[in-house]
Every structure is written in C-alpha cells, then in structure tokens.
Amino acid sequence: WSRAAAMPGLPALSFVNDVEMSVSDASTIYVVADNHKMGDFTPYVYESTDLGKTWRSIAGDLPKGTIVWAIQQDHVKPDLLFLGTEFGIYFSPNRGTNWIKLKGGVPTISFRDLKIHRRDHDLVGASFGRGFYVLDDYTPLREMAGGALSGEGTLFPVRAAWWYVPWQPGQAPTRPELGTDDFTTENPPHGALLTYWLKEAPATAREARQATEKKLREQGADTPFPGFDRLWMESLEQAPKLLVRIADGSGRVVRWLEGPAQAGVHRINWDLRGPSPEP
C-alpha cells in the first residue's frame, strides 16, 4: 500500500466518501470527500491521472454547501460523470468543468451511492430514506456531452426495446397474487422510450403578442389594444404539436405519436403497437 499525495484544498480531517477507478484508463482515479463534521460543507471532488501521485479538483461550478457522497464514470463516454450529493444527483458532460442537476422527479435529498447498470445504460441512485431511484436509459446525456444541443432540436438514439407480455391476461398489472399488502413500484413503461430535445417552443400568435406587450411594459410604453378580430383569431388557433413518426424498414408509417411541443428535453413512449382500429 502506498499513501496517495495530498489533495489540493482538502482539510486534513476530511472523510473520503468514495474512491472509483476509471473504467477507461487504468491510471485514473476519482475521489470525493467531505469535511461537514467540522462545519465545512465545501464540495470536494478530485481526479488523478497518475494513480494518486498528483490530483486536481473537478468540483467545477458545483453549488457551495453541496456535500458529495458518490461518483460514477460512464463506461462509453469517459468525460460523462455522475455525482450523488446531499441535495440530489448531478452530471457533468465535460469531466467536471460544469455540473448540471438532474431533475425529472429526483427528490432534493441525500443520495449516498450511485451505480451504472451497463447492460441497460441505467443510472441507479440510493437515497437516504426515500429508497432507490432509476434514470432509465441515460444515453441521451452522452449525446448532449458530444454537442447534440447545438442545433434547433434532435431525436436521440433509441435503445433496443424488449417486446414481451407485461402481465398475464385477466390479472391486474402489478402482482395481485401477493395480496394487497405487497408494494411494487412502477417499472419503466413497456415499449420503446423516445427522448427528444427542442431548443425553443414554437409560439402561438397570442404568445407572440404577449411577448411584444411585455417588452413595451418594461420600456414604460403603452400597450395598444390588439382589436377584436385579432383576439378572435387567437382564440381559434390550436396549440403547437410535436409529432414523432414510427416507420418500419420499408418506410411505411406504423404509428404517429404526439409529444410536448415545449423547449427542453422530453420523453414519450411507444408501446410497440400500431394505431387503434377503433379510434
């Protein structure tokens, strides 16, 4: 055993919460530590590329006061890192320069451990008091780390979908044979999980008018009455829609799916079926 070199800025009595070897480089180590027992809530995250002889901080722009408990590295894209912290889960697309908080239902509580399910490309987090949380198919984060968000929008690659019977015919969709006291959380939706991103949402005529009026108010100018004809046309306008086309190998359309037409990352699910014969 050889003692690793001192990590820059880390107080002497700090706890080392996690040590992880890189999955892509045999000489790279990741370490997270904390000193909260001494009233110091600084996030300490380090990387060594020479087996602990030298270290550099990769805490980046993590918020102050964020205790870090666990770290994981993606096994396909080495620059993609994940952190389990006192206030949720973060990921970095650029090896610790910037950290982005994962939302989508993740509670703002302590996540003491993280693991990557390499076969299914899932991220599993163990929380302190709220059970386990799974981010199904985090592969879109790899595409984001590769610059996929530079355009107007994109549909991320879809992982292979399992085709099976979700439950036995005539039974409830959970586990009725175990009785009413059995607790089973929901599985991922059956079928193909589709993830897409939009840079900005298409604006309706009403939204465009309201944005113009907001600028006028900020400038202290009067906001003119748009007129009854325009208001009537705005009331008839439908909201924007986003449609995803599912096609087979020959290009024949199998299904159209509708998803949210809003800025940001969204997910919809295709149940591997065609359209209903009785719409």
Side-chain angles (χ1 to χ4, degrees):
W1 293 92
S2 300
R3 186 176 181 86
M7 301 171 194
L10 184 65
L13 298 180
S14 301
F15 285 86
V16 174
N17 289 334
D18 194 15
V19 179
E20 297 287 343
M21 295 298 300
S22 170
V23 295
S24 62
D25 181 16
S27 298
T28 298
I29 310 174
Y30 294 97
V31 166
V32 297
D34 83 86
N35 192 36
H36 77 276
K37 295 275 187 175
M38 305 297 291
D40 174 16
F41 300 97
T42 304
Y44 294 108
V45 188
Y46 296 96
E47 178 191 55
S48 172
T49 57
D50 52 12
L51 290 177
K53 296 182 178 66
T54 59
W55 298 87
R56 73 179 185 95
S57 173
I58 56 171
D61 54 3
L62 279 172
K64 294 181 179 179
T66 303
I67 302 173
V68 183
W69 295 102
I71 187 169
Q72 286 284 285
Q73 181 187 37
D74 182 34
H75 55 288
V76 175
K77 198 169 190 64
D79 288 344
L80 179 59
L81 302 175
F82 297 93
L83 285 182
T85 77
E86 186 70 14
F87 305 113
I89 301 174
Y90 287 79
F91 80 95
S92 172
N94 47 23
R95 217 182 187 95
T97 301
N98 303 105
W99 292 96
I100 302 167
K101 191 172 185 179
L102 286 172
K103 298 181 181 179
V106 181
T108 308
I109 58 174
S110 177
F111 278 85
R112 298 298 178 90
D113 201 4
L114 295 177
K115 292 298 177 186
I116 289 175
H117 193 298
R118 298 183 186 178
R119 185 196 68 185
D120 292 339
H121 309 282
D122 294 343
L123 179 68
V124 184
S127 74
F128 187 78
R130 292 282 295 277
F132 294 91
Y133 286 78
V134 181
L135 172 59
D136 299 301
D137 187 17
Y138 68 82
T139 55
L141 298 181
R142 295 176 186 153
E143 303 296 321
M144 296 178 192
L149 303 186
S150 59
E152 295 298 321
T154 186
L155 176 66
F156 296 105
V158 182
R159 72 174 175 185
W162 293 92
W163 198 3
Y164 58 93
V165 179
W167 54 81
Q168 299 178 20
Q171 287 193 343
T174 53
R175 296 162 68 186
E177 69 276 4
L178 297 182
T180 58
D181 291 337
D182 175 64
F183 171 76
T184 305
T185 188
E186 293 184 4
N187 280 320
H190 175 253
L193 198 60
L194 309 176
T195 307
Y196 63 91
W197 172 79
L198 290 178
K199 183 177 181 180
E200 57 184 358
T204 63
R206 174 178 295 176
E207 292 170 342
R209 172 180 59 81
Q210 291 175 342
T212 301
E213 292 175 348
K214 181 179 179 181
K215 291 181 180 179
L216 291 174
R217 289 194 300 271
E218 292 173 349
Q219 296 170 0
D222 292 334
T223 55
F225 178 65
F228 288 108
D229 290 340
R230 180 171 179 177
L231 293 177
W232 173 249
M233 293 301 297
E234 289 180 1
S235 68
L236 298 178
E237 184 181 17
Q238 293 185 356
K241 296 181 179 179
L242 184 137
L243 298 176
V244 178
R245 186 185 68 174
I246 308 294
D248 61 14
S250 65
R252 181 181 65 89
V253 177
V254 177
R255 187 81 174 268
W256 285 97
L257 301 176
E258 183 175 339
Q262 301 171 350
V265 178
H266 304 281
R267 276 187 156 169
I268 56 178
N269 188 71
W270 177 44
D271 59 5
L272 307 181
R273 298 170 180 257
S276 171
E278 300 176 356

